[in-house]
Amino acid sequence: MRVVMVCLGNICRSPMAEGILRNTAAQKGLNLKVDSAGTANYHIGESPDPRAIRCMREYDIDISDLRGRQFTSSDFDSFDHILVMDQSNMRNVLALAENEEHRKKVRLMLDYGSSELSEVPDPWYGDIRDFHQTYQLLNDAINSFVDEEFGQ
Ligand code: 4NP
């Protein structure tokens, strides 16, 4: 199974989500290809935000080697699940979809998990506490995603 996490810049939320799912897949021995992308082209080739790297390190997950890239229409064929962080990402991704098969692959990340929020807030304008809140939201949602898709 192939999963791509999507946010706006691909330097905060989606690389954190990629790191969490990679880590979960490794721990559970799941056969999973995981990637992330941004809908914008602002941070192509860049490392994750230093606050995202620092936050994830506290959970023993290293995302420092990830690099930003932009979501493209070919991702619809390269991935089975496209998990977006907010409604704006959803609109931008769906604008690139070419058919119903593509559209069916796209879900909001927080459709999974127990949060009352429907969108993962952007921590970019916040501080390290916002990044920890992002981690908690993503970790809960990703655990539920793995439960639902793999039954474990
Ligand atoms: P992300 O956060 O979408 O979670 O990676 C952002 C990163 C950068 C910008 C916006 C959001 N930006 O405007 O550069």
Side-chain angles (χ1 to χ4, degrees):
M1 188 185 290
R2 304 159 302 170
V3 182
V4 61
M5 305 296 194
V6 180
C7 64
L8 176 62
N10 193 209
I11 55 168
C12 299
R13 294 166 291 177
S14 63
M16 291 175 72
E18 177 180 349
I20 293 167
L21 183 55
R22 277 181 189 279
N23 188 56
T24 305
Q27 281 176 351
K28 298 192 179 223
L30 306 177
N31 184 15
L32 205 55
K33 171 185 165 181
V34 190
D35 197 6
S36 63
T39 59
N41 62 2
Y42 313 144
H43 299 286
I44 294 172
E46 291 180 21
S47 303
D49 186 286
R51 297 165 296 177
I53 294 174
R54 182 151 59 91
C55 170
M56 294 291 287
R57 264 204 195 115
E58 294 195 27
Y59 306 99
D60 286 327
I61 301 175
D62 181 8
I63 59 167
S64 63
D65 60 345
L66 301 182
R67 293 294 178 269
R69 74 170 182 92
Q70 189 169 23
F71 185 85
T72 71
S73 53
S74 67
D75 287 316
F76 285 108
D77 297 316
S78 305
F79 295 95
D80 307 299
H81 291 275
I82 299 167
L83 300 177
V84 302
M85 300 298 146
D86 61 33
Q87 292 287 1
S88 168
N89 306 150
M90 176 73 89
R91 281 192 297 278
N92 289 327
V93 165
L94 289 179
L96 296 172
E98 286 157 6
N99 54 48
E100 192 53 29
E101 200 62 36
H102 288 175
R103 281 186 279 275
K104 278 195 316 208
K105 295 184 177 187
V106 190
R107 294 276 298 269
L108 279 171
M109 182 81 258
L110 296 188
D111 281 357
Y112 298 94
S114 58
S115 175
E116 285 171 7
L117 297 179
S118 63
E119 304 182 293
V120 182
D122 193 341
W124 167 255
Y125 297 104
D127 61 25
I128 191 72
R129 282 169 301 196
D130 298 286
F131 282 80
H132 284 285
Q133 193 207 359
T134 301
Y135 174 88
Q136 298 302 342
L137 280 171
L138 291 172
N139 194 45
D140 176 67
I142 288 166
N143 277 327
S144 292
F145 172 77
V146 169
D147 266 1
E148 284 188 33
E149 296 300 328
F150 295 93
Q152 56 177 306

